[in-house]
Coordinates of all heavy atoms in Angstrom, one line a residue:
K1 N 0.8 -1.2 0.0 CA 0.0 0.0 0.1 C 0.9 1.2 0.0 O 0.5 2.3 -0.7 CB -0.9 0.0 1.2 CG -1.8 1.2 1.3 CD -2.8 1.2 2.4 CE -3.8 2.3 2.4 NZ -3.1 3.6 2.5
A2 N 2.0 1.2 0.8 CA 2.9 2.4 0.7 C 3.4 2.7 -0.6 O 3.5 3.9 -1.0 CB 4.0 2.2 1.9
S3 N 3.8 1.7 -1.3 CA 4.3 1.8 -2.7 C 3.2 2.4 -3.6 O 3.5 3.3 -4.4 CB 4.8 0.5 -3.2 OG 5.4 0.7 -4.5
S4 N 2.0 1.8 -3.5 CA 0.9 2.3 -4.3 C 0.6 3.8 -4.0 O 0.5 4.6 -5.0 CB -0.3 1.4 -4.0 OG -1.5 2.0 -4.6
D5 N 0.5 4.1 -2.7 CA 0.2 5.5 -2.3 C 1.4 6.5 -2.9 O 1.1 7.6 -3.3 CB 0.1 5.7 -0.9 CG -1.2 5.0 -0.3 OD1 -2.1 4.6 -1.2 OD2 -1.3 4.8 0.9
Y6 N 2.6 6.0 -2.8 CA 3.7 6.9 -3.2 C 3.6 7.2 -4.7 O 3.7 8.3 -5.1 CB 5.0 6.1 -2.9 CG 6.2 6.8 -3.3 CD1 6.7 8.0 -2.8 CD2 7.0 6.3 -4.4 CE1 7.8 8.6 -3.1 CE2 8.2 6.9 -4.8 CZ 8.6 8.1 -4.2 OH 9.7 8.7 -4.6
L7 N 3.3 6.2 -5.5 CA 3.1 6.4 -7.0 C 2.0 7.3 -7.3 O 2.1 8.1 -8.1 CB 3.1 5.1 -7.7 CG 4.4 4.2 -7.7 CD1 4.2 2.9 -8.5 CD2 5.6 5.0 -8.1
A8 N 0.9 7.0 -6.6 CA -0.4 7.8 -6.9 C -0.2 9.2 -6.5 O -0.8 10.1 -7.0 CB -1.6 7.2 -6.0
G9 N 0.7 9.6 -5.6 CA 0.9 11.0 -5.2 C 1.9 11.7 -6.0 O 2.2 12.8 -5.8
Q10 N 2.6 11.0 -7.0 CA 3.6 11.7 -7.8 C 2.9 12.4 -9.0 O 2.2 11.8 -9.7 CB 4.6 10.6 -8.4 CG 5.3 10.0 -7.3 CD 6.3 10.8 -6.5 OE1 6.8 11.9 -7.0 NE2 6.4 10.6 -5.2
P11 N 3.2 13.7 -9.1 CA 2.5 14.4 -10.3 C 3.1 14.1 -11.6 O 2.5 14.2 -12.6 CB 2.8 15.9 -9.9 CG 3.9 15.9 -9.0 CD 3.8 14.6 -8.2
Q12 N 4.3 13.5 -11.6 CA 5.0 13.2 -12.8 C 5.8 11.9 -12.6 O 6.5 11.7 -11.6 CB 6.0 14.3 -13.3 CG 6.8 13.9 -14.5 CD 7.7 15.0 -15.0 OE1 7.5 16.3 -14.8 NE2 8.8 14.7 -15.6
I13 N 5.7 11.0 -13.5 CA 6.4 9.7 -13.5 C 6.9 9.3 -14.8 O 6.2 9.4 -15.8 CB 5.5 8.6 -12.9 CG1 4.9 8.9 -11.5 CG2 6.2 7.2 -12.9 CD1 3.8 7.9 -11.1
S14 N 8.1 8.8 -14.9 CA 8.6 8.1 -16.0 C 9.4 6.9 -15.6 O 10.1 7.0 -14.5 CB 9.4 9.1 -17.0 OG 10.6 9.5 -16.2
F15 N 9.4 5.8 -16.4 CA 10.2 4.7 -16.0 C 10.2 3.7 -17.2 O 9.4 3.8 -18.2 CB 9.5 4.0 -14.8 CG 8.1 3.4 -15.1 CD1 7.9 2.1 -15.3 CD2 7.0 4.2 -15.0 CE1 6.6 1.5 -15.5 CE2 5.7 3.8 -15.3 CZ 5.5 2.4 -15.6
G16 N 11.1 2.8 -17.2 CA 11.3 1.7 -18.1 C 10.9 0.5 -17.6 O 10.8 0.2 -16.5
W17 N 10.6 -0.5 -18.5 CA 10.1 -1.8 -18.1 C 10.5 -2.9 -19.1 O 10.8 -2.7 -20.3 CB 8.6 -1.9 -17.9 CG 7.8 -1.1 -18.9 CD1 7.5 0.2 -18.9 CD2 7.2 -1.6 -20.1 NE1 6.7 0.6 -19.9 CE2 6.6 -0.5 -20.7 CE3 7.3 -2.8 -20.7 CZ2 6.0 -0.6 -21.9 CZ3 6.6 -3.0 -22.0 CH2 6.0 -2.0 -22.6
F18 N 10.7 -4.0 -18.5 CA 11.1 -5.3 -19.3 C 10.2 -6.4 -18.9 O 10.3 -6.8 -17.7 CB 12.6 -5.6 -19.1 CG 13.1 -6.8 -19.9 CD1 13.7 -6.6 -21.2 CD2 13.0 -8.0 -19.4 CE1 14.3 -7.7 -21.9 CE2 13.5 -9.1 -20.1 CZ 14.1 -8.9 -21.3
V19 N 9.4 -7.0 -19.8 CA 8.5 -8.0 -19.4 C 8.8 -9.2 -20.3 O 9.0 -9.2 -21.4 CB 7.1 -7.5 -19.7 CG1 6.0 -8.7 -19.5 CG2 6.7 -6.3 -18.9
T20 N 8.7 -10.3 -19.6 CA 8.7 -11.7 -20.2 C 7.4 -12.3 -19.9 O 6.9 -12.2 -18.7 CB 9.8 -12.5 -19.9 OG1 9.8 -12.9 -18.4 CG2 11.2 -11.9 -20.1
Y21 N 6.7 -13.0 -20.8 CA 5.5 -13.7 -20.5 C 5.4 -15.0 -21.3 O 5.9 -15.1 -22.4 CB 4.3 -12.8 -20.8 CG 4.2 -12.3 -22.2 CD1 3.3 -13.0 -23.1 CD2 4.9 -11.2 -22.7 CE1 3.2 -12.5 -24.4 CE2 4.7 -10.8 -24.0 CZ 4.0 -11.5 -24.9 OH 3.7 -11.0 -26.2
D22 N 4.7 -15.9 -20.7 CA 4.5 -17.2 -21.4 C 3.2 -17.4 -22.1 O 2.2 -16.9 -21.7 CB 4.6 -18.3 -20.3 CG 5.9 -18.4 -19.6 OD1 7.0 -18.0 -20.2 OD2 5.9 -18.9 -18.4
T23 N 3.2 -18.1 -23.3 CA 2.0 -18.5 -23.9 C 2.2 -20.0 -24.2 O 3.3 -20.5 -24.2 CB 1.8 -17.8 -25.2 OG1 3.0 -18.0 -26.1 CG2 1.6 -16.4 -25.1
I24 N 1.0 -20.7 -24.1 CA 1.1 -22.2 -24.3 C 0.7 -22.5 -25.8 O -0.5 -22.1 -26.2 CB 0.2 -22.9 -23.4 CG1 0.5 -22.4 -21.9 CG2 0.2 -24.3 -23.6 CD1 1.9 -22.8 -21.5
E25 N 1.6 -23.0 -26.6 CA 1.3 -23.3 -28.0 C 0.8 -24.9 -28.1 O 1.5 -25.8 -27.5 CB 2.5 -23.1 -28.8 CG 3.1 -21.6 -28.6 CD 2.1 -20.6 -29.3 OE1 1.4 -21.0 -30.2 OE2 2.3 -19.4 -28.9
D26 N -0.2 -25.1 -29.0 CA -0.6 -26.4 -29.2 C -1.0 -27.2 -28.0 O -0.8 -28.4 -28.0 CB 0.4 -27.2 -30.2 CG 0.7 -26.5 -31.5 OD1 -0.3 -25.9 -32.0 OD2 1.9 -26.4 -31.8
G27 N -1.4 -26.5 -27.0 CA -1.8 -27.2 -25.8 C -0.7 -27.8 -24.9 O -1.0 -28.4 -23.8
R28 N 0.5 -27.6 -25.3 CA 1.6 -28.2 -24.5 C 3.0 -27.4 -24.5 O 3.6 -27.5 -23.5 CB 1.9 -29.7 -24.9 CG 2.2 -29.8 -26.4 CD 2.6 -31.2 -26.7 NE 3.9 -31.5 -26.1 CZ 4.5 -32.8 -26.2 NH1 4.0 -33.7 -26.9 NH2 5.7 -33.0 -25.5
E29 N 3.3 -26.7 -25.6 CA 4.5 -26.2 -25.7 C 4.5 -24.7 -25.1 O 3.8 -23.9 -25.5 CB 5.0 -26.1 -27.1 CG 6.4 -25.5 -27.4 CD 6.8 -25.4 -28.8 OE1 6.1 -25.9 -29.7 OE2 7.9 -24.8 -29.1
K30 N 5.4 -24.5 -24.2 CA 5.5 -23.1 -23.6 C 6.5 -22.2 -24.3 O 7.7 -22.7 -24.4 CB 5.9 -23.3 -22.1 CG 5.8 -21.9 -21.3 CD 6.4 -22.1 -19.9 CE 5.3 -22.8 -19.1 NZ 5.8 -22.9 -17.6
R31 N 6.0 -21.1 -24.7 CA 7.0 -20.1 -25.3 C 7.0 -18.9 -24.6 O 6.0 -18.4 -24.1 CB 6.5 -19.9 -26.7 CG 6.7 -21.1 -27.7 CD 6.3 -20.8 -29.1 NE 6.5 -21.9 -30.0 CZ 6.2 -21.9 -31.3 NH1 5.7 -20.8 -31.8 NH2 6.3 -23.0 -32.0
T32 N 8.2 -18.3 -24.4 CA 8.3 -17.1 -23.6 C 8.6 -15.9 -24.6 O 9.5 -16.0 -25.5 CB 9.5 -17.2 -22.7 OG1 9.3 -18.3 -21.8 CG2 9.7 -15.9 -21.9
S33 N 7.8 -14.8 -24.5 CA 8.0 -13.6 -25.4 C 8.5 -12.5 -24.5 O 8.4 -12.5 -23.3 CB 6.6 -13.2 -26.0 OG 6.1 -14.3 -26.7
V34 N 9.1 -11.5 -25.2 CA 9.6 -10.3 -24.5 C 8.9 -9.0 -25.0 O 8.5 -8.9 -26.1 CB 11.1 -10.2 -24.9 CG1 11.7 -8.9 -24.3 CG2 11.9 -11.4 -24.3
W35 N 8.6 -8.2 -24.0 CA 7.9 -6.9 -24.3 C 8.7 -5.8 -23.5 O 8.8 -5.9 -22.3 CB 6.5 -7.1 -23.8 CG 5.6 -5.9 -24.1 CD1 5.7 -5.0 -25.1 CD2 4.4 -5.5 -23.3 NE1 4.6 -4.1 -25.0 CE2 3.9 -4.4 -24.0 CE3 3.8 -6.1 -22.2 CZ2 2.7 -3.8 -23.5 CZ3 2.6 -5.5 -21.8 CH2 2.0 -4.4 -22.4
T36 N 9.3 -4.9 -24.2 CA 10.0 -3.8 -23.6 C 9.5 -2.5 -23.9 O 8.9 -2.2 -25.0 CB 11.5 -4.0 -23.9 OG1 11.6 -3.7 -25.4 CG2 12.1 -5.2 -23.6
G37 N 9.8 -1.5 -23.0 CA 9.3 -0.1 -23.4 C 9.6 0.9 -22.2 O 10.3 0.5 -21.2
E38 N 9.0 2.0 -22.4 CA 9.1 3.1 -21.3 C 7.8 3.8 -21.4 O 7.2 3.9 -22.4 CB 10.3 4.0 -21.7 CG 10.3 4.6 -23.1 CD 11.5 5.4 -23.4 OE1 12.5 5.3 -22.6 OE2 11.5 6.2 -24.3
S39 N 7.4 4.3 -20.3 CA 6.2 5.1 -20.1 C 6.4 6.3 -19.2 O 7.3 6.3 -18.4 CB 5.1 4.2 -19.4 OG 4.9 3.0 -20.1
A40 N 5.6 7.3 -19.5 CA 5.7 8.6 -18.8 C 4.3 9.2 -18.7 O 3.5 9.1 -19.6 CB 6.7 9.5 -19.6
I41 N 4.1 9.9 -17.6 CA 2.8 10.6 -17.3 C 3.1 11.9 -16.6 O 4.0 11.9 -15.7 CB 1.8 9.7 -16.6 CG1 0.4 10.5 -16.5 CG2 2.3 9.4 -15.2 CD1 -0.7 9.6 -15.9
V42 N 2.4 12.9 -17.0 CA 2.3 14.2 -16.2 C 0.9 14.4 -16.0 O 0.1 14.6 -16.8 CB 2.9 15.4 -16.9 CG1 2.7 16.7 -16.0 CG2 4.5 15.2 -17.3
R43 N 0.5 14.2 -14.7 CA -0.9 14.2 -14.3 C -1.5 15.5 -14.7 O -1.1 16.6 -14.4 CB -1.1 13.8 -12.9 CG -0.4 12.5 -12.5 CD -1.0 12.0 -11.2 NE -0.2 10.8 -10.7 CZ -0.4 9.5 -11.2 NH1 -1.3 9.2 -12.1 NH2 0.4 8.5 -10.6
G44 N -2.7 15.4 -15.4 CA -3.4 16.6 -15.8 C -2.9 17.1 -17.1 O -3.5 18.1 -17.7
A45 N -1.8 16.6 -17.7 CA -1.2 17.0 -18.9 C -1.2 16.0 -20.0 O -1.6 16.3 -21.2 CB 0.2 17.6 -18.7
G46 N -0.8 14.8 -19.7 CA -0.8 13.7 -20.6 C 0.1 12.5 -20.3 O 0.6 12.4 -19.3
Y47 N 0.0 11.5 -21.3 CA 0.7 10.3 -21.1 C 1.3 9.8 -22.4 O 0.8 10.2 -23.5 CB -0.4 9.2 -20.7 CG 0.1 7.8 -20.8 CD1 0.7 7.1 -19.8 CD2 -0.3 7.1 -22.0 CE1 1.0 5.8 -20.1 CE2 0.0 5.7 -22.2 CZ 0.7 5.1 -21.2 OH 1.0 3.7 -21.4
R48 N 2.4 9.1 -22.4 CA 3.0 8.5 -23.5 C 3.7 7.2 -23.2 O 4.1 7.1 -22.1 CB 4.0 9.5 -24.3 CG 5.3 9.6 -23.5 CD 6.2 10.6 -24.2 NE 7.6 10.6 -23.7 CZ 8.5 11.4 -24.0 NH1 8.2 12.5 -24.7 NH2 9.7 11.3 -23.5

């Protein structure tokens, strides 16, 4: 909760992220995909 409140109280945030996630192919084969990026917000002004 402290982390959530801290982020919610920030008027501006930018950060990078690196995600890996699994999908199951043909009912049995697990494959891992990668999703990377960066996000930024200025509350009341915009998001990208």
Side-chain angles (χ1 to χ4, degrees):
K1 182 179 184 302
S3 181
S4 171
D5 291 346
Y6 177 68
L7 294 183
Q10 298 297 327
Q12 176 178 332
I13 301 174
S14 62
F15 63 103
W17 41 270
F18 180 94
V19 173
T20 63
Y21 62 96
D22 297 333
T23 54
I24 307 300
E25 306 289 338
D26 300 323
R28 57 173 294 181
E29 182 180 355
K30 182 184 290 185
R31 293 185 180 176
T32 300
S33 299
V34 174
W35 186 26
T36 61
E38 55 186 17
S39 300
I41 187 172
V42 177
R43 302 198 190 278
Y47 161 88
R48 75 181 190 195

